Amino acid sequence: MATTATIPASRLHGHHDRPSMVAVGTIIWLASELMFFAALFAAYFTIRSVSPELWAENTEALNIPFASANTTILVLSSLTCQLGVFAAERGQVGRSGGVLDFRKWGLREWFILTYLMGAVFIGGQALEYAELIHEGITIQDSAYGSMFYLTTGFHGIHVTGGLIAFLFVLGRTYLARKFTHEQAVSAIVVSYYWHFVDVVWIGLFATIYLIK
C-alpha cells in the first residue's frame, strides 16, 4: 500500500520562474478540445437559426428537471475532484480516519466518489437518450436530433474518458508502494480535464435545455 509524504508545491506546479511542462502540455491539449466543442456550438446555433420551428417542436420533449439534477451531480463532482487534488498535494493518498469522516479523506476516497458521480451522470444521460428515442427523436430523424446527440454524445465520450483516467490514477495508488510526485501530477492533470468537461457541459446545458 502506498505511503504518504508531503510533496513540495514547486514539484507539483513547477518553479516560480518555470511552470510544469506536464501542466502546460495538458492546457494546450485542452485548448484544442475547446476548439472542437466551439465548432459543435457553432453548428448547433447555425442549424437552429434556419430551423426555429423544428427546435420549438422537439425541445418540448426535453426533461429539464431531470437534466438539471444530472447536471448538478456532474458540477458537484468537480468539487470532489478538487478535494482529491488537495489531498494529493499534501501527499495523503488514503483516509486517515473513519470512512464517514470526510475531513480526513485522501485522494482515493475523493476520486472514487468523483468517479461514481461521473458514472451516475453517464447513466442519467443514457436514460434520457432512451426516453427521447421513445418519443421519436433520433439522430437520423431530423437536424435537431443530429445536433442534440452529436453535442451531448461527444461530451459523454469525453466524460467516459475522464472516468477511465480516474481508474488509471486510482490503480497506480494501489499498485505503488509509495505515493510519488508523478502520481500527484497525474491526479492534478486529470483534474484539469475533469473541470474542463464540467465547464463544457454547463455551456451545453444552458444552450440545449435553457436557451433551447
Side-chain angles (χ1 to χ4, degrees):
M1 180 177 293
T3 58
T4 62
T6 302
I7 301 174
S10 62
R11 294 200 67 199
L12 293 171
H13 304 288
H15 298 283
H16 68 281
D17 59 345
R18 188 177 70 250
S20 168
M21 291 298 100
V22 175
V24 171
T26 301
I27 292 172
I28 292 174
W29 173 63
L30 290 178
S32 69
E33 290 293 291
L34 180 61
M35 294 301 100
F36 170 77
F37 279 104
L40 288 178
F41 275 106
Y44 181 92
F45 281 112
T46 300
I47 298 176
R48 177 179 178 271
S49 67
V50 298
S51 306
E53 300 83 5
L54 182 63
W55 252 247
E57 176 185 351
N58 284 274
T59 53
E60 293 300 319
L62 296 177
N63 189 339
I64 297 179
F66 178 82
S68 299
N70 213 29
T71 298
T72 301
I73 292 172
L74 186 65
V75 172
L76 289 178
S77 72
S78 260
L79 173 62
T80 59
C81 177
Q82 191 58 40
L83 290 172
V85 169
F86 291 153
E89 289 178 342
R90 62 177 181 266
Q92 184 180 353
V93 64
R95 59 187 173 87
S96 58
V99 69
L100 297 180
D101 190 353
F102 303 111
R103 295 171 300 176
K104 296 183 179 180
W105 275 15
L107 168 67
R108 287 175 185 154
E109 289 74 28
W110 287 118
F111 269 27
I112 289 173
L113 179 58
T114 304
Y115 177 89
L116 293 175
M117 295 171 77
V120 168
F121 173 83
I122 291 296
Q125 193 172 48
L127 179 60
E128 182 181 27
Y129 281 5
E131 293 178 350
L132 290 175
I133 292 172
H134 180 73
E135 294 289 335
I137 300 176
T138 62
I139 194 170
Q140 73 273 14
D141 175 66
S142 66
Y144 175 82
S146 297
M147 290 313 305
F148 176 85
Y149 290 109
L150 282 175
T151 52
T152 60
F154 273 116
H155 179 267
I157 291 173
H158 281 72
V159 173
T160 302
L163 296 179
I164 294 173
F166 281 123
L167 292 178
F168 174 75
V169 173
L170 289 168
R172 290 184 67 185
T173 66
Y174 282 105
L175 293 175
R177 294 184 178 180
K178 182 178 181 181
F179 188 63
T180 64
H181 156 71
E182 288 74 18
Q183 293 181 53
V185 170
S186 295
I188 293 171
V189 167
V190 169
S191 76
Y192 290 167
Y193 179 82
W194 195 250
H195 295 324
F196 170 79
V197 296
D198 281 9
V199 170
V200 168
W201 178 253
I202 291 173
L204 286 173
F205 175 77
T207 299
I208 296 173
Y209 295 90
L210 301 183
I211 300 175
K212 298 184 179 181

